[in-house]
Every structure is written in C-alpha cells, then in structure tokens.
Amino acid sequence: MKKNGKLLVEQVLSEGDLLAQQQVDFYDSYIVKANDVLYGLLAELMRYSDQVLGSDYKLEILSKMRSTLSTKHHIKVQKNTPDLTIIVKYVVRTNRKNAHVYARVLDMAYRQDVMADELEDFIRQNGGIDRIRESNVNLEGVQKRKSEDEGRAKLVKALLNIKAETPMAEFRIPGEWTSQVHDSHGVGSFLYPICAIVDGIYKVVGIVPMDYEFEEQILKRVIVDIGSKGSYSEIEKQQFAKAKEMISPAYQLKIQEERDRVDEQRRAKKLTLQPLPIAA
C-alpha cells in the first residue's frame, strides 16, 4: 500500500474513533443521566403511591383521581383498573404508554417488597425499565397459562366424576385384592387400573398408585382427547354444562354453605347429647 493510501486509511479510522468517543460521551451525558433522573422520578412516584395507598382516605382520593382523569384529561379508567395504575396514570397522564410501563415496574417492585429508597438500585440491578417490563409481561403470561391449565384440569376432573354416573364398564375388586388397592391410594382423585387386552376383553392386572404429577399427565391427555373430537352428543353437552356449573364459584360457595350447615347441625346435636352438669 502506498504512503498516501496508508494515511487515508488512518484518517478514516481516526474519524471512526472520534465518532465512537462521541457516542460514548452522548450515552454517558444524556442516556445514563436521563435514566438516573427517570429512576429518581419513579422513586418519588413510589413514595407518592405509598402515601395514597396508606391513606385513611384512599377510596376518596382514588375516586377523585378517576374523575379528574376522565373529565380533564380524557383518560378512561376501567372499574377493575388496579389502584396503583390509577395513581400512575394520574401523575403521568398524557403519555399512556409510559404510564403502563411505569405501573408494571412499580407493581413488580411492590411484589418483591422493594422500598422507595431501594427502587433506583432495584431497576438498575434488573437491567432497566424495559427489561423489568418484559420480565413482568413474561411472568404474567406464565401465570395466565398456568391458571388456564388449572381451570381446564378442574373442568375435566368434574366431567370425569359426572361420567362415573354412567360408566363405560363397572366391576368389583375381589376381596383378597381390596387391601392392596386401598394401600395404593395417593393424593390424586382417581384410581388408574392397568389393563391388558386379550381377545377384546380388558383384563385389569394392577392399579398404579396416584400422585399429583401423574394425575396431571393423565388429565392433560384427556383434555387433548376431548379437544380433538369434532362433535359431541347431546349427553356429552349436558355433561360439559354440568361440569362447568360444578366448578363455578357460585356452586362452590353453595357447596361450602351446605357443608357448614351440616357441620353446625352435627355440633348442635353433639351438644344436646352431652349430660347436663350436676349442680353443686
């Protein structure tokens, strides 16, 4: 390479080095400082939230915030909007996206018992606001899927109990095997016979002890089998409807009230059977 060419290369590289330093200076002077200021503002916002949430007049304050957001700033707040989100929206107001993100950050901090004085370090240690928001979103997604899976499992368990009223087949275990079967009971809701098919006949050769993990696997398989069906009979539709009713909060409350009533009757009956104390 000629001397002039080497000088040209060095000049281009020097210009690149200068731009690189300018990028570093910009990041340190503006981005980092801006984040420091923002984290400090969020810490103040958390202190303000502590004040509102801990106030004896919290309901009145939140009600006024809702009204102000709606009438003055045209920001709608749903009936089920969390209190913390209302407070953040009241402060941030015009920038709805930022309000949403900041509320997530503060929510995660509260759930991890972070104090306002610790918030700035908490944000930095967790990779900044965007990283916290992403992890919070991922956590919510996992929790939502878990809740949905638990809901489907409850529905299938209720459905299987209903189907037991009209089983595919039924039989009694021979007396000499009864104790062995009872000993196999674990923490699950169902027994799982091991069957061998011989000439079209299902021959039960054993029963697998139950536990939550195994039952969860079986229920997942049943869910897949049910979901793969193209159509359902009227009886199956009725069974689904009954199963949904059985797992509903209203039905569970009714059952609990009935249990409480029976327990109260049993206690009352027990008291009446107790001998009266003999007067001295």
Side-chain angles (χ1 to χ4, degrees):
M1 183 182 295
K2 294 181 180 181
K3 184 175 181 180
N4 289 341
K6 291 182 178 180
L7 291 175
L8 180 60
V9 170
E10 292 298 327
Q11 181 180 352
V12 171
L13 293 176
S14 296
E15 291 177 0
D17 292 338
L18 180 61
L19 285 174
Q21 186 58 50
Q22 290 175 349
Q23 291 290 325
V24 171
D25 294 341
F26 172 80
Y27 184 83
D28 292 339
S29 300
Y30 296 96
I31 305 300
V32 174
K33 289 184 179 179
N35 284 340
D36 289 342
V37 173
L38 176 58
Y39 298 167
L41 289 173
L42 287 179
E44 291 301 321
L45 177 54
M46 192 174 191
R47 293 187 184 91
Y48 180 66
S49 299
D50 290 342
Q51 178 184 345
V52 174
L53 297 174
S55 172
D56 293 337
Y57 302 97
K58 182 183 76 172
L59 295 179
E60 290 84 351
I61 295 171
L62 291 172
S63 177
K64 188 65 176 178
M65 284 181 171
R66 285 175 179 271
S67 176
T68 302
L69 285 169
S70 176
T71 57
K72 290 188 177 181
H73 305 288
H74 307 292
I75 298 175
K76 294 182 179 180
V77 180
Q78 304 297 328
K79 290 183 178 180
N80 60 345
T81 299
D83 295 346
L84 179 60
T85 302
I86 295 173
I87 297 169
V88 173
K89 284 188 174 184
Y90 183 78
V91 173
V92 179
R93 299 181 182 179
T94 55
N95 196 322
R96 299 183 183 184
K97 180 181 178 180
N98 284 351
H100 185 68
V101 173
Y102 298 163
R104 285 185 178 277
V105 172
L106 294 187
D107 178 62
M108 178 171 281
Y110 275 118
R111 281 189 286 164
Q112 297 192 28
D113 297 324
V114 174
M115 305 296 291
D117 292 339
E118 304 168 331
L119 183 63
E120 295 185 51
D121 289 336
F122 170 78
I123 295 174
R124 294 188 185 94
Q125 290 167 4
N126 285 275
I129 290 175
D130 287 338
R131 182 67 60 83
I132 293 176
R133 178 187 62 80
E134 291 172 0
S135 62
N136 205 350
V137 170
N138 293 337
L139 178 62
E140 288 182 357
V142 170
Q143 291 174 336
K144 182 180 179 181
R145 287 192 295 274
K146 182 180 178 181
S147 177
E148 291 173 348
D149 290 342
E150 290 175 349
R152 282 191 288 265
K154 286 181 181 179
L155 177 62
V156 171
K157 289 173 72 172
L159 181 63
L160 293 178
N161 280 313
I162 292 170
K163 285 180 175 291
E165 299 172 3
T166 54
M168 297 171 60
E170 55 184 326
F171 54 87
R172 292 185 182 276
I173 297 293
E176 61 268 24
W177 293 97
T178 302
S179 60
Q180 180 178 338
V181 171
H182 288 172
D183 289 342
S184 71
H185 285 205
V187 293
S189 302
F190 303 99
L191 293 174
Y192 300 93
I194 304 172
C195 300
I197 304 177
V198 181
D199 296 330
I201 298 175
Y202 288 78
K203 298 193 175 186
V204 181
V205 297
I207 293 180
V208 177
M210 296 184 298
D211 56 53
Y212 284 130
E213 184 177 354
F214 183 65
E215 181 169 273
E216 182 180 356
Q217 294 176 11
I218 296 295
L219 292 176
K220 285 181 178 179
R221 177 57 188 269
V222 175
I223 291 171
V224 171
D225 290 343
I226 292 174
S228 64
K229 294 188 63 173
S231 61
Y232 303 94
S233 67
E234 287 301 318
I235 293 178
E236 288 175 324
K237 291 178 181 178
Q238 292 173 10
Q239 290 174 336
F240 268 113
K242 187 174 181 181
K244 288 180 180 178
E245 178 186 357
M246 288 177 63
I247 66 172
S248 67
Y251 183 87
Q252 293 299 318
L253 178 61
K254 179 180 177 182
I255 294 297
Q256 187 59 52
E257 290 176 346
E258 178 63 20
R259 289 172 181 165
D260 293 342
R261 185 185 65 80
V262 172
D263 288 342
E264 184 61 32
Q265 288 180 343
R266 187 181 296 110
R267 284 193 294 268
K269 184 177 181 180
K270 186 177 181 179
L271 287 173
T272 59
L273 295 176
Q274 290 180 353
L276 295 174
I278 299 174

